[in-house]
Amino acid sequence: QVHLVESGGGSVQAGGSLRLSCAAPGYSDSGYYMGWFRQAPGKKRERVATISSAGGTSYIDSVKGRFTISKDGAKSTLYLQMNSLKPEDTAVYYCAADLDLGRLWIGGAAVWGQGTQVTVSS
């Protein structure tokens, strides 16, 4: 049963921007840690960014300064603003939620979305 629904993926040229959204009713403002992950073809899924219930954020080094994770509790939505996109950002992007930050951090979150494809061409 899918509880999170991502949208906003697509194809863009290098240097462009996209904003991903994740509809997360009941998760974005109820004590859950939330995050964005991605999986490129032939590679393991990796954590991209996380946000705590209080709004604290973290990013992997390769996206720092380019990506911004945020959430809107009133709209029950998680966002990932992606700027200055690079071909190596091409992947399926997933949002996830868990009450345990450690479990989320290692990719073992309790709740996942179905993913949205992001393709960046050079």
Side-chain angles (χ1 to χ4, degrees), residues 36 38 46-50 58-67 89 105:
W36 287 98
R38 67 186 180 187
E46 67 172 348
R47 174 179 47 83
V48 176
T50 61
S58 70
Y59 301 89
I60 57 173
D61 286 344
S62 61
V63 307
K64 282 181 181 177
R66 301 189 298 121
F67 289 13
D89 295 318
W105 195 267

Side-chain angles (χ1 to χ4, degrees), residues 3-4 22-34 53 71-78 97-99 111:
H3 298 276
L4 307 176
C22 172
Y27 294 100
S28 61
D29 60 352
S30 58
Y32 278 80
Y33 295 92
M34 299 196 70
S53 57
K71 60 179 180 175
D72 185 331
K75 295 182 179 180
S76 298
T77 303
L78 178 73
D98 202 294
L99 290 169
V111 186

